[in-house]
């Protein structure tokens, strides 16, 4: 750590040194490894006079060569991470300089460099998953589920502390949400992820889109230099009471990065195949014209999922002030959810009305495919590196196509041997295209203030077509298109005043949208302009105390598929439909937080949500449950949280604890629901000799009311064991997900359009426990390089599907 600190200090000093020394003592040399003679690039070379002042400095190129002004009586110091410093008084007759590996320093760094699992920052919570035993043998989807306050539903929709969030990767949006986002996260190996940044209140620089802020997933590849990479695989699975179906999982990945002086190239390839079963059941009691109606349904949804992802990017460092880059990304997925093997049915129901009992068997299969392609072209011009003055421009293109083929066979038994069969086929096809242009400028001003400004335009175009055929019924077609244009400008300034710091910004967004429901002959047009102010204030009187106050206003526009009025079936008796008239929801948030001794923190806050998204439940006479997306009035939320992050109980044991209390008051026409929810997360990490690490965590959410639904309690625990070999290059792991088989999502309807409903509940239990063995190997050498802020396509985070629940 000391050598790293010294290296950074010398590098900064070198960038500001104004050499007035004589130029008649220029010397040239080459730096090599003493053991194998290989060239050592990007080492720091500093020349000092007799008083220790730096008179000249440079760095070696990729071939280890350097040239510097070296007067007599001066000394030269050459530094490189992992090597012993070399001090020279003369380079006469010496064209090659040898450096020796500092093995003692490397060994000490391996043992003592401990990064906290969870860190509390001024404006965010950072979860360093690269230090977690769960990283090996896990995907990005597995790891993000373990982040404090994060909940993911069956459709891949992610919430943070009960609020929807936008998910970014490496400072740029992930392009998708729902099932598409799930496919991308499952195609991201856990070993390639460095940290999660949970940004509850983003500044005005970020798009105002997103009720609950941003989760930024930072991967390792953008921070590495030289030729390096990783290869890995994970295999595992579990039986769940049926020996004829093993819930298998396999993941294979390769991450390759090459960073030279003039270019940076990376390639990521992933392939995954896994199976997860879901047991879905409902209970319904209502009053009909014929009398009391009762229905109970059960179904087993066998989920076979395959994902792939290819990502290729390159940066060209034209000169010291200009960088040009290109990123191409092609993720895809195939998902079959339905019957197991050759079984004729996977669902059943029993109905009772007016003393008449009817039994039903059903077969529900859903075969869906999606393929996405995206491209980003970016350019950065640095005006003045000393003032961090630069401008970055991004052009983005995104297109995804998805197809789902839903077949439902329903057999109603009128008597013991007599039945009536109906057959439904729902064919859905959707495409989403997005174009975006964005520019961000920043500079230091007024000595130490950071000024940021920028603008953006984005256009989104969706096309949705559905064909439903049903026995003894005419064909049902749905044709819905939607386009949206957003233009935005923002300005933000941050400045420290001694122990105080202030950041304020203002963002303006103009939105024009047009939804055309061709089948119904109706359209929805909207044009609106909104201002989104953000204010942050911080007080840091000492290293052991920090206090922050923040206010933000944000908007949540509907996901594109939630506007689509097509039917999406969950089982034979439950389906979800979109709403073309769905309005955006707005959130005003204020929070106050304090951090003590870097390990302890508390926070209190309040959110006011208007027109929040929720699903309005309704029911047909035959017991079918329809969930229609709509706006729920108002929601007041107050929260209190306390955190202990990375507390060192002993040299061999770290403890993390996250406790959250949330009070919500949901107000709609003729309905008011109040509830208090408690959420807790804890993690114990055992750091053992010989590079062994054992980690066990647990997450609990108490019951909570949200809109028309009451969410039942959830508890999930995981176990991870990791062992490093070959100086941390080779890693073996053993993981157990869902340790106690407790993962579930149960809902109770507490309000809706049908006042005759007296009971409506749904139960969703996941057979998601997996025992997995993983191996990964890291190769090459890595050094830190500049992180680039490229790519911004926030609209694509709204390409989600629909599912059950608020």
């Amino acid at each position: 750590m000391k050598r790293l600190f010294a290296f950074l200090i010398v590098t900064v000093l070198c960038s500001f040194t104004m050499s007035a020394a004589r130029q008649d003592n220029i010397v040239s040399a080459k730096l090599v490894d003493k053991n194998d003679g290989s060239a050592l690039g990007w080492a720091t070379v500093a020349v000092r006079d007799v008083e220790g002042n730096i008179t000249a400095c440079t760095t070696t190129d990729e071939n280890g060569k350097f040239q510097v002004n070296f007067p007599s009586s001066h000394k030269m110091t050459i530094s490189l991470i992992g090597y012993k410093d070399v001090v020279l008084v003369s380079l006469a007759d010496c064209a090659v300089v040898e450096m020796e590996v500092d093995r003692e320093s490397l060994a000490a760094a391996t043992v003592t460099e401990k990064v906290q699992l969870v860190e509390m920052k001024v404006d965010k919570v950072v979860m360093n998953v690269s230090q977690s035993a769960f990283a090996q043998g896990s995907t990005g989807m597995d790891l993000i589920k373990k982040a404090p306050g994060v909940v993911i539903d069956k459709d891949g929709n992610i919430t943070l502390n009960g609020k929807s969030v936008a998910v970014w990767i490496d400072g740029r949006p992930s392009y998708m949400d729902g099932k598409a986002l799930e496919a991308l996260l499952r195609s991201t190996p856990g070993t390639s992820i460095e940290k999660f940044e949970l940004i509850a209140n983003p500044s005005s620089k970020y798009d105002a889109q997103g009720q609950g802020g941003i989760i930024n997933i930072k991967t390792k590849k953008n921070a590495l230099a030289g030729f390096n990479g990783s290869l890995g695989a994970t295999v595992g699975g579990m039986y769940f009471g049926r020996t004829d179906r093993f819930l298998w999982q396999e993941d294979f990945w390769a991450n390759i990065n090459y960073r030279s002086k003039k270019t940076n190239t990376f390639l990521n390839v992933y392939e995954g195949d896994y199976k997860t079963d879901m047991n879905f059941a409902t209970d319904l009691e209502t009053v009909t014209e014929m009398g009391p109606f009762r229905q109970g349904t059960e179904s087993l949804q066998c989920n076979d999922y395959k994902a792939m992802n290819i990502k290729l990017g390159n940066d060209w460092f034209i000169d010291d002030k200009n960088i040009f880059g290109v990123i191409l990304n092609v993720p895809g997925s195939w998902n079959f959810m339905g019957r197991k093997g050759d079984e004729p049915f996977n669902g059943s129901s029993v109905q009772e009305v007016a003393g008449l009992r009817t039994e039903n068997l059903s077969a529900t299969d859903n075969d869906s495919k999606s393929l996405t392609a995206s491209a980003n072209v970016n350019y950065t011009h640095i005006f003045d590196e000393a003032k961090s003055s630069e401008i970055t421009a991004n052009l983005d293109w995104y297109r995804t196509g998805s197809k789902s083929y839903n077949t439902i066979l329903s057999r109603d038994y009128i008597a013991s041997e007599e039945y009536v069969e109906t057959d439904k086929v729902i064919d859905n096809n959707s495409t989403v295209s997005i174009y975006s242009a964005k520019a961000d400028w920043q500079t230091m001003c007024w000595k130490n203030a950071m000024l940021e400004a920028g603008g953006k335009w984005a256009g989104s175009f969706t096309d949705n077509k559905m064909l439903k055929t049903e026995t003894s019924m005419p064909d049902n077609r749905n044709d819905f298109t939607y386009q949206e244009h957003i233009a935005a400008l923002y300005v933000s300034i941050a400045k420290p005043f001694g122990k105080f710091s202030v950041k304020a910004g203002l963002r303006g967004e103009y939105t024009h949208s047009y939804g055309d429901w061709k089948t119904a002959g109706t359209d929805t047009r909207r044009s609106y302009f909104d201002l989104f102010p953000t204010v942050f204030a911080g007080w840091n009187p000492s290293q052991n105390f920090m206090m922050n106050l923040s206010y933000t206003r944000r908007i949540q526009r509907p996901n594109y598929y939630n506007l689509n009025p097509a039917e999406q079936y969950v089982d034979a008796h439950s389906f979800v439909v979109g709403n073309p008239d769905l309005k955006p929801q707005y959130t005003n948030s204020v929070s106050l937080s304090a951090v003590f001794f870097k390990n302890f923190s508390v926070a209190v806050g309040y959110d006011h949500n208007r027109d929040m998204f929720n699903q309005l439940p309704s029911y047909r006479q035959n017991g079918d449950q329809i969930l229609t997306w709509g706006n729920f009035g108002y929601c007041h939320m107050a929260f209190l949280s306390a955190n202990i992050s990375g507390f060192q109980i002993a040299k061999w044991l770290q403890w993390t604890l996250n406790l959250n209390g949330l009070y919500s008051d949901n107000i709609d026409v003729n309905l008011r629901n109040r509830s208090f929810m408690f959420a807790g997360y804890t993690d114990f990490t055992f750091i053992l000799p010989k590079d062994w690490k054992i980690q066990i965590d647990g997450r609990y959410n108490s019951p909570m009311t949200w809109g028309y639904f009451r969410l039942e309690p959830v508890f999930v625990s995981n176990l991870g064991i990791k062992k490093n070999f070959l100086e941390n290059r080779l890693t073996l792991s053993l993981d157990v997900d869902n340790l106690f088989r407790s993962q579930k999502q149960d809902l109770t309807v507490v309000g809706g359009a049908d006042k005759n409903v007296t009971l409506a509940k749904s139960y969703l239990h996941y057979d998601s426990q997996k025992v997995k063995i993983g191996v990964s190997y890291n190769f090459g050498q890595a050094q830190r390089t500049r992180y680039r802020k490229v790519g911004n396509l926030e609209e694509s985070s709204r390409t989600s599907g629909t599912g059950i629940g608020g």
Side-chain angles (χ1 to χ4, degrees):
M1 177 60 71
K2 291 182 179 179
R3 290 187 181 277
L4 174 59
F5 183 76
F7 170 77
L8 294 175
I9 292 295
V10 170
T11 302
V12 172
L13 290 175
C14 287
S15 65
F16 286 97
T17 297
M18 298 180 63
S19 177
R22 294 165 53 195
Q23 299 299 309
D24 55 355
N25 295 292
I26 300 296
V27 296
S28 301
K30 181 178 181 180
L31 188 65
V32 299
D33 187 295
K34 184 177 181 179
N35 293 328
D36 57 17
S38 59
L40 298 178
W42 299 286
T44 301
V45 181
V47 178
R48 300 175 185 271
D49 60 20
V50 292
E51 296 179 353
N53 300 316
I54 297 178
T55 61
C57 61
T58 186
T59 56
T60 61
D61 63 17
E62 66 267 31
N63 298 315
K65 296 180 180 180
F66 68 94
Q67 189 177 72
V68 69
N69 182 40
F70 189 18
S72 59
S73 76
H74 287 206
K75 291 184 180 181
M76 178 187 296
T77 302
I78 304 177
S79 302
L80 181 62
I81 297 174
Y83 288 83
K84 294 180 180 180
D85 288 353
V86 174
V87 180
L88 301 171
V89 295
S90 173
L91 273 180
D93 302 323
C94 181
V96 177
V97 179
E98 296 180 335
M99 294 193 77
E100 184 178 355
V101 173
D102 190 349
R103 302 189 184 278
E104 293 182 0
S105 176
L106 289 177
T110 301
V111 174
T112 62
E113 184 70 7
K114 305 296 182 184
V115 178
Q116 294 181 3
L117 177 64
V118 178
E119 295 180 284
M120 309 302 298
K121 301 292 187 179
V122 174
D123 57 347
K124 58 194 170 188
V125 177
V126 179
M127 188 174 183
N128 295 297
V129 295
S130 63
Q131 302 300 312
S132 169
F134 298 126
Q136 175 64 31
S138 298
T139 66
M141 192 69 172
D142 299 327
L143 291 177
I144 202 171
K145 290 179 180 178
K146 299 175 174 62
V150 172
V151 176
I152 304 177
D153 67 17
K154 61 176 283 293
D155 294 289
N157 299 306
I158 300 175
T159 60
L160 176 62
N161 297 325
K163 297 183 291 183
S164 300
V165 294
V167 176
W168 291 33
I169 297 179
D170 289 328
R172 64 194 309 259
S174 59
Y175 302 126
M176 52 201 74
D177 197 357
K179 285 295 185 184
L181 175 60
E182 181 179 358
L184 180 64
L185 291 177
R186 291 197 183 279
S187 66
T188 304
T191 53
S192 69
I193 297 176
E194 182 177 0
K195 64 182 66 175
F196 293 139
E197 295 179 337
L198 311 180
I199 310 172
N201 297 306
S203 69
S204 59
K205 180 177 182 177
Y206 297 93
D207 266 26
Q209 169 73 19
Q211 173 201 9
I214 292 171
I215 298 179
N216 184 31
I217 303 174
K218 297 191 71 172
T219 62
K220 299 176 182 178
K221 60 184 177 298
N222 285 343
L224 299 181
F227 182 77
N228 51 77
S230 64
L231 303 171
T234 302
V235 294
M238 181 57 67
Y239 283 108
F240 279 83
R242 299 181 300 274
T243 57
D244 59 338
R245 179 168 170 81
F246 182 70
L247 300 185
W248 175 257
Q249 175 175 331
E250 64 180 32
D251 303 275
F252 303 94
W253 69 86
N255 300 322
I256 301 173
N257 190 91
Y258 178 71
R259 169 73 157 86
S260 67
K261 188 175 182 179
K262 288 294 185 180
T263 186
N264 178 54
T265 306
F266 67 87
L267 172 65
N268 302 331
V269 180
Y270 171 85
E271 184 274 332
D273 187 352
Y274 63 91
K275 304 178 188 297
T276 301
D277 291 350
M278 298 184 296
N279 296 278
F280 182 64
T282 64
D283 286 328
L284 174 65
E285 295 182 5
T286 183
V287 177
T288 66
E289 297 176 354
M290 299 176 61
F293 176 90
R294 295 183 178 86
Q295 176 180 269
T297 71
E298 293 182 354
S299 64
L300 171 65
Q301 303 290 338
C302 297
N303 187 8
D304 294 349
Y305 191 89
K306 296 181 180 179
M308 55 76 65
N309 190 19
I310 301 174
K311 189 173 184 180
L312 176 64
N314 197 81
D315 288 328
W316 288 272
F317 302 92
I318 302 171
D319 52 37
D320 292 340
K321 294 184 178 296
N322 297 280
I323 307 172
F324 177 76
V326 175
I327 302 173
L328 302 175
N329 194 33
V330 184
S333 67
W334 172 84
N335 186 39
F336 174 80
M337 183 180 295
R339 291 171 290 178
K340 175 173 67 72
D342 296 328
E343 291 187 359
F345 302 101
N346 64 334
S348 64
S349 67
V350 176
Q351 297 179 351
E352 294 182 6
V353 57
L356 179 64
R357 177 185 175 93
T358 303
E359 296 183 1
N360 169 276
L361 293 176
S362 59
T364 306
D365 295 329
N366 186 22
D367 192 352
S368 60
K369 301 176 182 178
S370 70
L371 183 63
T372 301
S374 64
N376 166 261
V377 177
N378 54 80
Y379 169 74
T380 298
H381 176 72
I382 302 170
F383 298 100
D384 188 343
E385 191 168 359
K387 294 183 178 181
S388 298
S389 180
E390 65 181 40
I391 187 170
T392 297
N394 285 273
L395 295 176
D396 281 279
W397 169 79
Y398 167 92
R399 181 178 175 84
T400 184
S402 61
K403 296 183 178 182
S404 66
Y405 195 72
N406 219 184
T407 61
I408 303 171
L409 174 64
S410 183
R411 178 179 293 181
D412 293 302
Y413 285 84
I414 302 174
S416 58
E417 299 294 336
E418 299 179 12
Y419 60 83
V420 175
E421 275 192 354
T422 58
D423 194 9
K424 298 178 187 176
V425 178
I426 302 95
D427 189 1
N428 274 298
N429 292 272
S430 299
T431 60
V432 179
S433 298
I434 303 173
Y435 306 88
S436 174
K438 188 173 185 287
D440 298 283
W441 171 78
Q442 67 176 39
T443 189
M444 297 290 292
C445 58
W446 299 311
K447 293 184 179 180
N448 57 354
M450 174 60 76
L451 178 65
E452 297 176 302
K456 175 186 174 181
W457 170 85
S460 310
F461 308 88
T462 72
D463 188 0
N464 308 276
K465 290 181 172 58
M466 183 201 77
L467 173 61
K468 175 184 174 183
T469 59
E470 186 174 358
T471 303
S472 303
M473 297 288 290
D475 289 352
N476 182 5
R477 296 180 181 274
N478 182 78
D479 191 351
F480 175 73
T481 61
Y482 179 80
Q483 59 176 288
E484 181 181 86
H485 301 269
I486 301 173
L489 293 173
Y490 76 88
V491 63
S492 173
I493 187 166
K495 181 174 175 58
F497 298 91
K499 297 178 180 180
F500 293 90
S501 60
V502 177
K503 184 174 185 178
L506 184 64
R507 186 179 186 92
E509 293 189 354
Y510 172 77
T511 306
H512 174 75
S513 63
Y514 173 55
D516 186 5
W517 192 0
K518 302 178 186 300
T519 306
T522 62
D523 60 64
T524 303
R525 299 174 185 266
R526 283 197 176 93
S527 295
Y528 50 94
F529 176 78
D530 293 296
L531 291 175
F532 301 97
T534 59
V535 180
F536 304 88
W539 180 45
N540 190 7
S542 70
Q543 293 182 349
N544 297 324
F545 181 75
M546 178 173 57
M547 181 177 290
N548 299 286
L549 177 67
S550 68
Y551 164 77
T552 60
R553 182 174 189 261
R554 299 181 65 76
I555 186 175
Q556 181 79 10
R557 298 180 183 87
N559 291 328
Y560 303 123
Y561 293 152
N562 292 350
L563 295 165
N564 180 17
E567 299 175 357
Q568 298 280 343
Y569 277 81
V570 180
D571 65 6
H573 303 281
S574 304
F575 62 91
V576 181
V577 294
N579 180 3
D581 296 321
L582 196 60
K583 297 183 294 184
Q585 72 174 30
Y586 294 86
T587 302
N588 288 273
S589 301
V590 60
S591 65
L592 176 66
S593 62
V595 181
F596 310 88
F597 300 101
K598 298 184 179 180
N599 295 104
F600 307 94
S601 66
V602 294
V604 61
Y606 167 78
D607 290 351
H608 177 268
N609 300 316
R610 189 188 80 194
D611 292 327
M612 71 176 190
F613 302 143
N614 211 262
Q615 291 174 336
L616 176 65
S618 59
Y619 302 88
R620 292 176 175 171
Q621 291 287 323
N622 64 352
D624 284 354
Q625 175 183 234
I626 308 168
L627 296 171
T628 305
W629 282 100
N631 297 102
F632 183 94
Y634 298 90
C635 177
H636 303 273
M637 298 177 62
F639 72 88
L640 175 65
S641 68
N643 302 273
I644 301 174
S645 59
F647 182 68
Q648 201 77 32
I649 298 177
K651 290 183 179 181
W652 49 270
L653 178 61
Q654 278 189 351
W655 179 40
T656 293
L657 178 66
N658 178 272
L659 303 176
N660 293 277
L662 177 67
Y663 173 78
S664 65
D665 187 3
N666 304 274
I667 306 171
D668 197 18
V669 179
N670 301 322
L671 177 65
R672 184 170 187 174
N673 296 321
R674 303 173 181 173
S675 70
F676 175 82
M677 183 196 77
F678 168 79
Y681 171 86
T682 189
D683 174 281
F684 291 93
T685 301
F686 299 86
I687 304 170
L688 305 179
K690 300 186 181 298
D691 290 328
W692 281 92
K693 181 183 286 188
I694 300 176
Q695 186 174 358
I696 184 169
D697 73 352
R699 174 173 55 86
Y700 172 77
N701 291 343
S702 71
M704 173 186 180
T705 299
W706 186 255
Y708 302 105
F709 298 91
R710 171 185 167 90
L711 285 67
E712 301 302 330
V714 176
F715 171 73
V716 180
S717 181
N718 308 277
L719 173 67
I721 303 173
K722 183 170 72 173
K723 176 70 170 73
N724 293 328
F725 302 89
L726 303 178
E727 296 182 344
N728 294 331
R729 289 183 177 271
L730 178 66
T731 302
L732 299 180
S733 69
L734 174 67
D735 291 300
V736 183
D737 294 339
N738 192 12
L739 188 60
F740 301 105
R741 299 191 175 186
S742 57
Q743 187 176 5
K744 61 181 180 179
Q745 182 184 331
D746 296 344
L747 301 173
T748 302
V749 177
V750 293
D754 193 343
K755 304 304 179 183
N756 293 320
V757 175
T758 58
L759 174 67
K761 300 186 71 172
S762 63
Y763 315 87
L764 184 58
H765 291 212
Y766 298 86
D767 292 345
S768 60
Q769 186 184 74
K770 296 283 197 311
V771 177
K772 302 175 296 183
I773 298 175
V775 59
S776 69
Y777 178 72
N778 300 320
F779 58 89
Q781 59 181 356
Q783 300 172 16
R784 294 286 174 181
T785 61
R786 173 188 174 91
Y787 174 73
R788 298 198 60 212
K789 306 169 186 176
V790 297
N792 270 306
L793 194 51
E794 288 82 355
E795 289 68 30
S796 54
S797 65
R798 294 160 52 204
T799 59
S800 73
T802 57
I804 287 183

